[in-house]
Amino acid sequence: MLLFIAAAVNYPSAMAQSIPQNDNLQRLLAACVSQTLEHFARDKLASNQLAVSLIDLNSATHPQQAGFRANVPIYPASVVKLFYLVAAHRWIEDGKLKQTEELDRALRDMIVDSSNDATHYVVDLITETTAGPELSSEEMKSWSEKRNVVNRYFAGQGFLKINANQKPWCEGPYGRERVFVGKNYENRNALTTEATARLLAEIVSGRAVSVERSRQMMNILQRNPFEKVEPSDEPNQATEFTGKALLPGTKLWSKAGWTSTARHDAAYIELPSGVKIILVTFTTGHSKNAEIIPFVVRKVMKNLAKPK
């Protein structure tokens, strides 16, 4: 039961544009990042391979944030699926998309299992585009205009330096998808940790679309970081990212993403003490190192617990 949502959190409408920086929170995060870079120096983790955003949600009327390289656009792996999730619910709310059992199933599989097939289905629906062979220049122009509808929506909401118009792929795009991503992949998806953290904060607060739709999104974002899972070739979103560092009794809602070069997690965390934070961590060039994100989480938790 997500009784805290919307009823317990009542952010001002200004949150739709920005969340103010907090100097104390910024110092806390800077210390955590410094400790992380020092600890993983032996693994050659460089400062430009890490980006972090932290939002303190403990004040119901004045959320605060801090960031490290938080406004740097980074390839987001499947964390971009958060933006497709919100867009789908926005379209449904506005009557532009019909909610069906199949769409509900796809949205769930897109987030819970991080299914790329489900994501392809969702992106086709919300953008009214399909994959396929190359198109003529005129047809491609029209196709590209449609494919950028999610970007236009979030730009209108004040989300900057992001690109959310590509389907995730495993071996590479083909046909019109390959043309669209650009010769040098210059049009590939990109997110900042700040934009991602803000979107997650709006889902948590019930302001991303509506209270009821935010509740639906939270239901499929909820994770059990303490579940026993069978060994797998695919990283477990609940237990091998932020969840790996959480103490018993902590609640987690998250979306993780990974590729051969990226390892990211966007998490909303509720501690047994009542502390509520959003922590978004992107790492690049260290996809096989499963310890960096949990290390950041542990340092943030430890520093938050210190007397101010």
Side-chain angles (χ1 to χ4, degrees):
M1 295 294 291
L2 301 173
L3 299 179
F4 65 90
I5 196 166
V9 184
N10 184 26
Y11 300 130
S13 59
M15 178 179 163
Q17 295 302 320
S18 64
I19 300 174
Q21 298 280 341
N22 178 277
D23 290 343
N24 289 332
L25 204 63
Q26 188 63 46
R27 283 191 287 271
L28 181 154
L29 184 60
C32 295
V33 168
S34 178
Q35 292 162 356
T36 302
L37 293 174
E38 180 179 358
H39 183 82
F40 290 100
R42 63 179 184 273
D43 299 315
K44 298 182 180 180
L45 176 65
S47 60
N48 65 355
Q49 295 176 317
L50 182 66
V52 187
S53 284
L54 172 64
I55 299 179
D56 181 353
L57 297 178
N58 294 295
S59 170
T61 56
H62 297 91
Q64 306 285 313
Q65 73 170 331
F68 174 76
R69 300 182 70 247
N71 284 310
V72 177
I74 295 171
Y75 180 69
S78 57
V79 173
V80 74
K81 296 170 186 179
L82 280 174
F83 285 78
Y84 298 148
L85 176 68
V86 170
H89 278 281
R90 178 76 270 171
W91 273 222
I92 295 169
E93 188 81 359
D94 292 346
K96 296 188 294 185
L97 189 63
K98 182 179 180 181
Q99 188 161 13
T100 64
E101 289 185 6
E102 187 72 350
L103 176 55
D104 287 342
R105 183 170 73 94
L107 291 173
R108 182 192 180 281
D109 291 348
M110 178 175 74
I111 299 299
V112 176
D113 302 321
S114 205
S115 166
N116 285 347
D117 287 342
T119 310
H120 294 181
Y121 178 81
V122 172
V123 171
D124 282 347
L125 281 177
I126 60 181
T127 65
E128 299 181 326
T129 62
T130 59
E134 294 91 334
L135 298 169
S136 68
S137 296
E138 195 60 31
E139 289 173 319
M140 194 67 201
K141 182 179 179 181
S142 175
W143 188 93
S144 300
E145 179 76 7
K146 290 181 178 180
R147 182 56 77 84
N148 274 303
V149 66
V150 176
N151 277 341
R152 290 195 297 276
Y153 170 73
F154 283 107
Q157 300 299 308
F159 286 84
L160 306 176
K161 299 181 181 179
I162 71 168
N163 187 49
N165 60 19
Q166 301 287 329
K167 293 178 179 178
W169 59 75
C170 296
E171 297 179 354
Y174 294 88
R176 65 196 66 170
E177 300 275 0
R178 181 64 185 89
V179 174
F180 186 57
V181 78
K183 183 177 180 180
N184 298 309
Y185 290 78
E186 62 270 15
N187 194 37
R188 70 179 185 171
N189 286 331
L191 295 178
T192 67
T193 59
E194 182 173 301
T196 307
R198 176 190 150 188
L199 184 71
L200 190 50
E202 292 185 2
I203 296 173
V204 171
S205 71
R207 292 181 177 274
V209 178
S210 65
V211 172
E212 177 55 34
R213 295 205 171 278
S214 292
R215 182 175 288 113
Q216 292 176 34
M217 288 186 271
M218 291 293 284
N219 282 338
I220 62 174
L221 285 166
Q222 190 161 23
R223 308 286 184 190
N224 178 5
F226 311 111
E227 66 179 342
K228 293 183 179 180
V229 296
E230 295 295 327
S232 171
D233 292 335
E234 295 293 334
N236 186 284
Q237 295 184 87
T239 62
E240 295 185 47
F241 292 83
T242 296
K244 191 173 185 178
L246 300 181
L247 296 175
T250 304
K251 296 179 181 179
L252 172 67
W253 292 259
S254 69
K255 179 70 193 81
W258 59 92
T259 68
S260 60
T261 60
R263 197 174 185 93
H264 308 327
D265 200 12
Y268 167 58
I269 303 163
E270 282 192 357
L271 300 179
S273 63
V275 170
K276 300 178 178 71
I277 65 168
I278 285 172
L279 184 61
V280 178
T281 308
F282 288 1
T283 72
T284 60
H286 293 270
S287 182
K288 293 182 180 180
N289 192 330
E291 298 303 319
I292 297 174
I293 290 177
F295 187 91
V296 172
V297 175
R298 291 189 190 98
K299 290 302 177 182
V300 168
M301 297 300 177
K302 183 178 180 179
N303 287 356
L304 280 173
K306 291 179 180 178
K308 297 180 181 178

